[in-house]
């Protein structure tokens, strides 16, 4: 029998964490009883970017609003609303909001919790 049961989470009641230019909510993850899935919702302010980083798992980024770029392996990939960005495991990347409006994205990871590493491979402590 599975110890995990159905849970309904109201997004507006979930904790909001911030980094410069980034507002973050974990919509589902380890802290909610999941062991194999994490979903993050982030808003990047115009001109903001994530730090360069990588994960030990694949990532799918869903763009809901705004214009962005992901820099990966020395290449620039542009994206906008209603697009998905598929990121491979263990490849350094950085996401930029290149538009004049906030960019709304959702990150989906097949792990919980999600490990984040800096370009040198050191774990990155996150406020969420």
């Amino acid at each position: 029998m599975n110890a995990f049961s159905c849970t309904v989470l109201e997004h507006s009641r979930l904790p909001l964490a911030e980094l410069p230019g980034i507002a973050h909510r974990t919509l589902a993850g380890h802290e909610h009883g999941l062991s194999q899935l994490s979903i993050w919702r982030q808003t990047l302010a115009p001109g903001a970017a994530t730090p360069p980083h990588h994960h030990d798992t694949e990532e799918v980024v869903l763009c809901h609003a705004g214009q962005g770029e992901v820099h990966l392996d020395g290449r620039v990939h542009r994206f906008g609303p209603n697009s998905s960005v598929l990121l491979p495991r263990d490849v350094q990347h950085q996401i930029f909001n290149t538009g004049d409006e906030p960019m709304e994205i959702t990150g989906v990871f097949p792990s919980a919790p999600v490990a984040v590493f800096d370009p040198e491979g050191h774990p990155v402590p996150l406020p969420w």
Side-chain angles (χ1 to χ4, degrees):
M1 183 161 176
N2 188 349
F4 177 74
S5 64
C6 178
T7 301
V8 176
L9 302 171
E10 186 178 318
H11 295 179
S12 64
R13 292 180 180 233
L14 296 171
L16 182 66
E18 296 188 72
L19 291 172
I22 302 172
H24 170 98
R25 274 198 170 92
T26 299
L27 302 183
H30 184 73
E31 59 269 40
H32 307 112
L34 298 178
S35 63
Q36 299 181 28
L37 180 69
S38 295
I39 301 176
W40 295 356
R41 180 68 182 234
Q42 296 181 332
T43 302
L44 277 71
T50 65
H53 66 284
H54 68 275
H55 311 279
D56 59 0
T57 184
E58 296 169 328
E59 177 182 5
V60 175
V61 177
L62 310 171
C63 182
H64 308 286
Q67 299 293 319
E69 293 179 350
V70 61
H71 295 201
L72 179 131
D73 279 342
R75 298 181 61 198
V76 174
H77 305 270
R78 291 174 179 26
F79 62 90
N82 301 312
S83 60
S84 299
V85 180
L86 310 180
L87 299 170
R89 152 189 197 135
D90 289 325
V91 177
Q92 182 178 301
H93 58 277
Q94 187 172 17
I95 297 173
F96 295 83
N97 179 347
T98 58
D100 297 330
E101 300 176 12
M103 183 172 61
E104 300 283 340
I105 58 175
T106 299
V108 181
F109 305 86
S111 67
V114 177
V116 180
F117 303 93
D118 69 16
E120 289 77 40
H122 301 107
V124 175
L126 296 172
W128 52 83

